[in-house]
Amino acid sequence: MNDEHDTHDLPGPSLWPIGFAIGVACVLIGLVISIPVLIVGAVVALVFGFLWVRDLFVSRPVTAAAAGLPDVAPVATEADLGDNVDRATFLSLATIGVSGLIGAGVTLPALGFGVLPSFMGEGVDTFDVDLGPISNFPEGQYVIATYLESPEQGEVSRRTAFIRNNGRTDDGVPSFTTIFSRCAHLGCPVQPNGPIDEEAKKDVNGVELRPVLAASFGCPCHGGLYDSEGNRMAGPPVRSLDRYEFSIKDGNLVLGRLFSVGTVQGVGASAKIMKYYKAYPGVHVDGIERWLYPIPTPGSTS
Ligand code: FES
C-alpha cells in the first residue's frame, strides 16, 4: 500500500560531482605546477559545484528503479525550482555547508603558509644591493662581496656574491660577472678555489669586499665543482651558479634580482649567458630534464 510517506523526490544520477572533483584535482595540481591550471580548475569546480548544488534544489520525478533502489514506490511530484526545500534536502545542504566551512578553516591557513611564499618569491630574490664604487672592483679579478640582505634580520640574512669586473663589452657597456654563492645542488655556500687577499679587505657601507684569485668554485657539501664562469663541471649540481642582474648607479655597482643560468658560453664580457627565471636549488632549467620537474621555469636567452 502506498501513501504519501512512501514517495520521495529522489535525486537522479548526476555527473556534476565528477566534474566538481576533476575541478578540485586541477586546483591542487595547479598549485604545484602552474597558475593557469589552477584557474581552469577553479572555474571547472565552481561551475560543476553550482550545477550540483542547484540539482539539490530541483525536485525531479524519478523512479526508485532509475535511482538504483528497490522498486518501492513509483513516483514523486512535479516540482520546479523555487519550491519548498524538503527537510532531507535542507539537512543535506546544511551538512555539506558545515563540512565545507570546517574543511576550509582547517585547510586554508596551512595552504596559505605552505604555498603562498612560492608565489610571492620570499627569500628568492634580492633587490638593489649597493656594493659601492666600481673602482673597488679591479678588472679581471674576482672580489668576494658579503652583505646583509635585510639588516633588520641581522646575520641570518648575510649573503655572498662573487663579482668580477670584465671591463666593457664591444658595445662599450660595463660588464660584470655577478655570481651568487648558493650551490645549485641543495643550496650550500660555494667557496672560491684560490687564495683570498685578506690584507686588501675593505668595508664599504657595510659591504665587505675581499679580492680572491678564483680559478673555480667548489661546494664543500657534496663536492660540486664549477668553473670560473659558474658552469657546472662535476658533482651533483644540476645547473650553473645563479647570478644577479646588475646596474651602475652614480658610479656604484648595484645588484638586482637573482636569475638562474643554464650554461655560460664564452668568458667575461663576451660570454653568452643562458638566462632563466630564478629556480630553486636542484631544479633543472633547461634540457629534457626541465620537463621532468613539476615547477616549470620559463626562460629566455640573453
Ligand atoms: S649542496 Fe653543493 S654539491 Fe650538494
Side-chain angles (χ1 to χ4, degrees), residues 84-95:
N84 288 340
V85 177
D86 67 21
R87 186 173 163 174
T89 305
F90 172 77
L91 288 175
S92 298
L93 289 175
T95 304

Side-chain angles (χ1 to χ4, degrees), residues 8-288:
H8 302 277
D9 290 346
L10 298 175
S14 171
L15 292 176
W16 306 145
I18 296 175
F20 179 73
I22 291 173
V24 171
C26 287
V27 167
L28 296 176
I29 293 171
L31 282 172
V32 176
I33 65 168
S34 100
I35 291 178
V37 173
L38 185 153
I39 294 172
V40 169
V43 170
V44 169
L46 280 175
V47 169
F48 281 90
F50 169 77
L51 294 171
W52 185 15
V53 170
R54 192 193 64 165
D55 262 13
L56 293 176
F57 283 98
V58 179
S59 299
R60 292 198 187 104
V62 177
T63 63
L69 297 173
D71 187 16
V72 292
V75 185
T77 58
E78 284 284 341
D80 292 321
L81 185 64
D83 280 355
N84 288 340
V85 177
D86 67 21
R87 186 173 163 174
T89 305
F90 172 77
L91 288 175
S92 298
L93 289 175
T95 304
I96 291 172
V98 171
S99 303
L101 285 176
I102 294 173
V106 171
T107 309
L108 289 181
L111 210 56
F113 284 116
V115 174
L116 279 185
S118 305
F119 292 103
M120 296 166 68
E122 279 184 14
V124 173
D125 289 338
T126 297
F127 303 99
D128 289 352
V129 177
D130 189 336
L131 298 185
I134 58 175
S135 56
N136 286 326
F137 299 91
E139 201 170 314
Q141 183 179 18
Y142 269 109
V143 173
I144 305 170
T146 62
Y147 60 92
L148 296 182
E149 184 179 62
S150 175
E152 59 273 13
Q153 292 181 12
E155 286 297 317
V156 293
S157 70
R158 183 166 290 283
R159 301 286 181 265
T160 300
F162 307 120
I163 311 293
R164 187 183 61 202
N165 184 347
N166 300 319
R168 292 182 178 270
T169 65
D170 293 342
D171 300 329
V173 178
S175 168
F176 286 84
T177 297
T178 52
I179 291 177
F180 185 36
S181 69
R182 189 165 291 167
C183 183
H185 176 218
L186 294 178
C188 282
V190 165
Q191 310 294 330
N193 292 327
I196 300 173
D197 187 354
E198 295 288 358
E199 292 191 354
K201 183 167 90 175
K202 285 184 187 174
D203 190 309
V204 181
N205 299 328
V207 178
E208 186 181 279
L209 302 175
R210 291 180 298 159
V212 61
L213 291 174
S216 60
F217 299 95
C219 179
C221 288
H222 313 102
L225 183 64
Y226 305 87
D227 70 13
S228 60
E229 301 303 310
N231 282 312
R232 175 197 171 276
M233 294 172 67
V238 298
R239 61 175 196 261
S240 302
L241 289 169
D242 294 342
R243 293 190 178 205
Y244 300 83
E245 294 175 348
F246 72 89
S247 58
I248 310 294
K249 293 180 182 166
D250 300 326
N252 286 9
L253 176 63
V254 178
L255 299 183
R257 285 175 181 267
L258 284 165
F259 63 88
S260 290
V261 177
T263 54
V264 179
Q265 295 162 6
V267 295
S270 60
K272 183 175 171 60
I273 302 163
M274 309 306 286
K275 178 179 178 182
Y276 296 85
Y277 290 128
K278 177 74 178 75
Y280 288 108
V283 176
H284 288 271
V285 293
D286 58 6
I288 193 165

